[in-house]
Amino acid sequence: MLIEIPALFSASEVDATVATLLDQPWVDGKVTAGPRSAMAKNNRQLSEDSPVAHRIGEQILARLSDNALFMSAALPKRIYPPLFNRYSGGEGFDWHIDNAIRGIKGVRERVRTDISATLFLADPASYDGGELVIRDTFGEHAVKLPAGHLLIYPGSSLHKINPVTRGERIASFFWIESLVREDSQRQLLLDMDVAIQTLTAQDADHHALLQLSGAYHNLLRRWSDG
């Protein structure tokens, strides 16, 4: 499932964040790519050791923890510390699939990449190209969201970043290990949770809501590996 989390950060917050990021040293994006992905990857990244990257990454994680849609859709167990990349002058990232397991640098912890996430940090009108293209059983989906909006999608998806031919694309990217690893099961749980919240707001029959809520939690208990 592809899910947009709108306005995770305001325009003014994004502007301040981007100004801080651009003032930092950047490295070749291949440093975080596997051998095969490195052949397709052409961009720059903020170093994983950057204190600024750590600080802004913590701000992103804090904001996500307060976002009801993200928590319901992702059911996060672990989140890889956010990374930051930039594309310009024809840079892009050809078709690839993210590594299934990623070790967190400096700690003895690994994250299963059930869900991939991209936080867009550049105004889409400020650059040409740079679409995140995701291929699934329904075809290809080209995504270019407003600055401050987040997209989450299955980590198992084949995807690419189209070359940026004008301006600069700046984003944060990271991965989520979910309590429920199967995407179709997460989608069903999200649908049920949305229905529960809607019916609750409509003051629906208490016993029917209790039955539906019980089914949701029993399915989560059955499917969760937390």
Side-chain angles (χ1 to χ4, degrees):
M1 58 182 176
L2 279 64
I3 296 178
E4 178 181 349
I5 312 293
L8 192 66
F9 289 90
S10 68
S12 60
E13 288 174 325
V14 170
D15 288 345
T17 295
V18 169
T20 300
L21 291 173
L22 292 179
D23 198 37
Q24 306 305 308
W26 293 72
V27 300
D28 190 326
K30 290 181 172 59
V31 296
T32 57
R36 188 167 297 277
S37 291
M39 295 186 292
K41 191 174 188 179
N42 180 24
N43 67 3
R44 288 152 291 151
Q45 288 182 198
L46 205 59
S47 170
E48 290 185 87
D49 298 322
S50 166
V52 169
H54 291 165
R55 175 172 59 81
I56 297 176
E58 287 297 322
Q59 294 172 356
I60 294 171
L61 295 180
R63 195 64 60 89
L64 289 173
S65 70
D66 292 332
N67 188 282
L69 176 57
F70 173 81
M71 297 300 290
S72 181
L75 296 168
K77 180 179 180 180
R78 297 185 185 90
I79 302 179
Y80 193 93
L83 302 172
F84 301 87
N85 59 20
R86 57 195 296 195
Y87 295 79
S88 63
E91 291 173 324
F93 195 168
D94 208 355
W95 291 110
H96 63 285
I97 294 177
D98 295 332
N99 293 342
I101 305 291
R102 297 195 67 96
I104 300 177
K105 189 174 183 179
V107 299
R108 293 181 178 179
E109 186 174 2
R110 298 191 298 172
V111 173
R112 188 183 66 233
T113 60
D114 299 322
I115 301 169
S116 296
T118 296
L119 174 62
F120 291 78
L121 294 173
D123 181 348
S126 70
Y127 63 98
D128 292 335
E131 297 86 0
L132 169 59
V133 184
I134 301 164
R135 181 181 294 168
D136 62 18
T137 54
F138 297 100
E140 295 180 5
H141 312 274
V143 183
K144 190 174 182 179
L145 297 182
H149 292 225
L150 178 81
L151 182 77
I152 58 175
Y153 58 98
S156 57
S157 301
L158 190 66
H159 59 283
K160 68 175 180 176
I161 306 294
N162 283 336
V164 174
T165 58
R166 177 187 65 86
E168 188 163 47
R169 178 192 192 271
I170 302 170
S172 176
F173 64 103
F174 51 96
W175 300 272
I176 300 108
E177 180 176 337
S178 179
L179 291 166
V180 177
R181 72 171 68 195
E182 174 57 45
D183 181 62
S184 62
Q185 294 173 344
R186 290 195 305 272
Q187 179 68 68
L188 178 59
L189 289 168
L190 175 60
D191 291 343
M192 292 181 69
D193 194 22
V194 169
I196 291 168
Q197 299 305 319
T198 300
L199 292 171
T200 299
Q202 295 173 351
D203 198 24
D205 179 75
H206 171 72
H207 294 291
L209 269 174
L210 187 62
Q211 187 176 30
L212 182 58
S213 296
Y216 170 88
H217 287 288
N218 285 331
L219 285 173
L220 180 57
R221 185 178 292 110
R222 177 184 291 259
W223 291 336
S224 171
D225 63 4

